[in-house]
Amino acid sequence: MSQPTPDTHDLFAVRKAKLDQMRADGFDPFRANWDQTHTSASAKALYELGEEDEKEVSVAGRLTNIRIMGKAAFAKILDRDGRIQIYARRDALGEEAYRAFKKLDIGDIVGVSGPLFVTRTGELTVRALHYKLVSKSLRPLPEKWHGLKDSEQIYRNRHLDLIVNEESRERFRKRSAIISCIRRFLESRDFMEVETSTLHGIAGGAAARPFVTHFNALDCDFHLRIALELHLKRLLVGGFDRVFEIGRVYRNEGLDRRHNPEFTMLEVYQAYSDYRGMMELIHSMVQTVCHEVLGSTAVVNADGVEIELAGPWREASYLDLIREATGDSQWHKRSKREKLVAARKLGLALDPELEDFEVTNQIFEKRVEPQLIQPTFVTHIPRELCPLAKLNEDDPTVLDVFELCIDGVEIAPAYSEQNDPFLQMEMFEQQVGEETQNLDREFIAALEQGMPPAGGMGVGIDRLIILLTGAANIRDTILFPALRPWPARGQNELTTEREAPKGAN
RNA sequence: GGGUCGGUAGCUCAAUCGGUAGAGCAGGUGCCUUUUAAGCACUUGGUUCGGGGUUCAAGUCCCCGCCGGCCUACCA
């Protein structure tokens, strides 16, 4: 087959022409495979064991770098563990194979086998005796030195980001390790992992606008869940005394540095415990993750501020923190008007129509929470703020709950769970007001069956990952964050044209 | 939703006051058998996000739109 000369500036066409030529010569890389005996890391480990020289390995990965020097070449391949150098020379591979090697492109996926050796400059290298192209890369990779910087491309083309940006690869590896560690921690405490449904008739357990979807078979609308809470508590009623779920929840609200419309939540429920028990649980959990995954109890946030996670953590009541922020020890005795004036002094122009507790809570969210950088359990939270927790026995205006704040963000709320169906009904009615169709009567019926006293907690996993990896943005911790769908005519339209696969047989 | 900044070659970035759109990497050709962002020589490559306007002349100024970053609003 006469090789058509493609435009040398059309990187796709140049690579496609190489592929066509290979297929014409009887080799189709998309039908090939490779027997990988070692990764970059295990090959290094093997070499460091010492003993006899010239250990043979067979590695595979994506070519990220090629340096051709006449009759020999160095290249690097990237596999799941990292990079390893390979050395190809004409007299070892043979004339024909070496000529083909020189035609490889950065981004191609190859298998390479041969003995390990260390180069003059001290780098462990595989001396290629055999190699095979096992997947052709038709698109060029971003620049080798600067990587991919454009944040939109990073989010839209995460695969490119992962190939060229090592920090990104490491961050997601760490995310996986943290979640795995959390699972093992909870299992070691005899919690059982469950999966509850994501399609809810009534999206309860939190106050957030849900996404709506339509179920054709039943011809009715469903909501994507906004929390895991109510189903998990029904499992407590059912006798699963210690349950947890790690799953997606969906909230139809704005996007920003700390909010993605779908995010990962961990919820844990433990019968015969309470919010104090949850304090111990989250503290131990974070210590365990620090030791097993991070190897450190200190983390540094995106602003360079160090946060010390080793315990014990500060405990402060909601009202004390408000008093501290406003400098008013008699805050609880002030009228709403006085509170509004105080809010204004703190630079908050609040709507006078807000309820009294909402005014205070605005101060909490805008002026207190952002200041809670080191881990702090905020306790004694006003009852209006959460309808699902038990009232404090000594002061029924507050709840037996905490909110764990770190780095100015709420990481985990936990409650002594309300199990009195009458009080629960009352709280629900206050919450939903007129919209009684949003009142989850099935849940109330479950409570009427009798739910054991329990502690429960929700952990925003993505926010925890931000904290533990020092990420600047929730999108850097979510593999495929929400973005507006591609415009109809994008600059980067699909290049692969529809054509009969000629080389296929 | 509002404010603000941005979108230039496949990638990372330049382009003075409105006056012929450039560089590095990647790509192509040639040389080079231990390189490290390999090197050397030559070289291809542009709907300057899209549409309109002002002007002798627009990447640059104005208007509209698209996409994104940041701030803000919403947000248990």
Side-chain angles (χ1 to χ4, degrees):
Chain A
M1 168 176 162
S2 66
Q3 189 177 351
T5 317
D7 290 341
T8 58
H9 66 271
D10 184 341
L11 306 186
F12 190 97
V14 168
R15 288 166 179 236
K16 178 68 162 47
K18 289 180 183 177
L19 174 66
D20 289 342
Q21 184 62 58
M22 272 185 270
R23 284 172 161 170
D25 293 342
F27 174 72
D28 184 346
F30 295 123
R31 300 176 68 85
N33 206 342
W34 185 255
D35 186 16
Q36 179 192 36
T37 65
H38 290 77
T39 66
S40 53
S42 69
K44 281 167 197 164
L46 176 73
Y47 186 82
E48 275 156 21
L49 280 177
E51 298 172 29
E52 86 271 31
D53 301 328
E54 301 282 288
K55 290 169 183 140
E56 296 257 347
V57 294
S58 175
V59 294
R62 188 181 299 274
L63 280 170
T64 58
N65 182 301
I66 308 174
R67 293 181 291 275
I68 294 171
M69 302 166 305
K71 298 180 189 65
F74 284 94
K76 281 195 180 160
I77 60 170
L78 175 67
D79 65 21
R80 66 179 183 275
D81 284 343
R83 260 175 247 271
I84 190 164
Q85 180 164 262
I86 60 181
Y87 178 51
R89 42 193 289 167
R90 192 175 68 172
D91 54 15
L93 280 174
E95 183 107 18
E96 195 179 328
Y98 184 69
R99 194 176 327 116
F101 187 90
K102 288 198 290 185
K103 292 223 164 195
L104 292 174
D105 287 301
I106 288 173
D108 285 351
I109 298 177
V110 296
V112 178
S113 65
L116 290 167
F117 75 105
V118 172
T119 63
R120 193 179 285 168
T121 50
E123 179 156 356
L124 184 69
T125 302
V126 180
R127 185 189 307 275
L129 297 182
H130 302 283
Y131 82 91
K132 198 196 300 178
L133 178 66
V134 292
S135 184
K136 186 67 187 164
S137 175
L138 292 160
R139 289 173 180 263
L141 282 178
E143 211 233 6
K144 62 185 171 187
W145 187 245
H146 297 95
L148 191 63
K149 291 264 183 68
D150 183 302
S151 53
E152 182 173 1
Q153 283 222 57
I154 285 173
Y155 301 140
R156 288 200 194 275
N157 296 315
R158 182 66 84 184
H159 52 287
L160 291 179
D161 173 49
L162 292 174
I163 292 167
V164 301
N165 293 332
E166 188 171 353
E167 332 76 71
S168 189
R169 209 156 53 232
E170 278 312 305
R171 196 181 319 112
F172 286 109
R173 210 182 279 286
K174 200 179 266 183
R175 178 183 173 120
S176 175
I178 290 166
I179 292 173
S180 165
C181 181
I182 289 172
R183 277 208 166 85
R184 276 179 278 121
F185 171 82
L186 290 170
E187 283 164 2
S188 78
R189 294 215 175 185
D190 210 20
F191 284 89
M192 168 176 142
E193 180 168 10
V194 296
E195 299 129 281
T196 63
S197 76
T198 52
L199 293 174
H200 289 189
I202 299 169
R209 275 183 297 169
F211 285 93
V212 181
T213 188
H214 189 75
F215 188 177
N216 292 337
L218 300 184
D219 189 25
C220 64
D221 284 344
F222 272 74
H223 297 132
L224 299 187
R225 67 182 173 188
I226 57 173
L228 315 175
E229 178 146 3
L230 302 185
H231 278 124
L232 293 179
K233 284 187 186 170
R234 286 163 69 177
L235 296 181
L236 289 183
V237 172
F240 289 153
D241 281 352
R242 295 185 179 196
V243 291
F244 76 95
E245 177 166 7
I246 295 175
R248 277 320 158 75
V249 298
Y250 306 84
R251 297 187 179 179
N252 203 342
E253 284 157 3
L255 292 159
D256 65 32
R257 210 156 43 104
R258 293 193 161 113
H259 295 83
N260 193 65
E262 54 176 312
F263 61 99
T264 301
M265 182 99 109
L266 160 68
E267 290 197 24
V268 186
Y269 293 86
Q270 179 176 355
Y272 316 112
S273 182
D274 58 15
Y275 84 105
R276 305 290 317 180
M278 293 297 106
M279 270 188 192
E280 190 280 326
L281 189 73
I282 184 70
H283 185 263
S284 292
M285 192 172 93
V286 170
Q287 303 306 308
T288 302
V289 169
C290 282
H291 287 116
E292 292 187 9
V293 181
L294 306 182
S296 159
T297 55
V299 295
V300 178
N301 74 8
D303 299 325
V305 177
E306 186 170 301
I307 297 166
E308 178 52 61
L309 296 174
W313 293 342
R314 179 186 180 198
E315 218 179 296
S317 85
Y318 183 90
L319 187 54
D320 282 345
L321 289 167
I322 290 286
R323 286 168 174 151
E324 206 175 277
T326 57
D328 183 352
S329 63
Q330 301 299 308
W331 181 263
H332 57 291
K333 294 183 180 164
R334 304 298 176 206
S335 68
K336 188 175 98 179
R337 178 172 309 215
E338 288 169 319
K339 287 175 180 172
L340 282 166
V341 170
R344 180 168 291 276
K345 280 187 191 150
L346 290 170
L348 294 173
L350 300 181
D351 181 353
E353 298 300 307
L354 290 179
E355 299 284 337
D356 193 304
F357 75 92
E358 290 173 316
V359 172
T360 303
N361 199 45
Q362 282 293 310
I363 293 173
F364 182 80
E365 287 183 2
K366 297 287 173 5
R367 293 291 176 268
V368 176
E369 202 173 83
Q371 307 302 318
L372 300 176
I373 305 299
Q374 301 301 323
T376 306
F377 288 117
V378 181
T379 60
H380 297 82
I381 290 170
R383 60 179 291 177
E384 294 85 353
L385 295 178
C386 171
L388 291 153
K390 278 189 180 173
L391 301 179
N392 183 273
E393 285 215 15
D394 301 327
D395 178 0
T397 67
V398 299
L399 300 162
D400 277 344
V401 305
F402 70 75
E403 278 183 10
L404 172 61
C405 294
I406 312 179
D407 196 17
V409 179
E410 183 189 337
I411 297 282
Y415 318 147
S416 293
E417 301 294 345
Q418 181 57 268
N419 64 348
D420 177 334
F422 301 100
L423 281 175
Q424 183 64 79
M425 189 66 177
E426 220 175 273
M427 299 282 257
F428 269 178
E429 282 169 346
Q430 280 174 22
Q431 183 198 24
V432 302
E434 302 291 302
E435 298 172 30
T436 50
Q437 73 279 6
N438 292 332
L439 202 155
D440 194 333
R441 292 172 201 283
E442 286 177 82
F443 174 67
I444 296 288
L447 286 193
E448 287 166 353
Q449 211 72 55
M451 186 181 91
M457 177 168 65
V459 180
I461 291 291
D462 312 275
R463 288 180 176 179
L464 186 65
I465 305 291
I466 291 176
L467 174 73
L468 297 178
T469 62
N473 192 309
I474 196 169
R475 293 179 160 187
D476 294 329
T477 71
I478 293 176
L479 282 166
F480 299 100
L483 287 177
R484 194 174 290 276
W486 276 71
R489 282 163 31 79
Q491 54 192 339
N492 206 355
E493 288 163 278
L494 200 61
T495 317
T496 304
E497 289 166 27
R498 289 186 179 279
E499 63 175 42
K502 280 176 267 179
N505 41 30

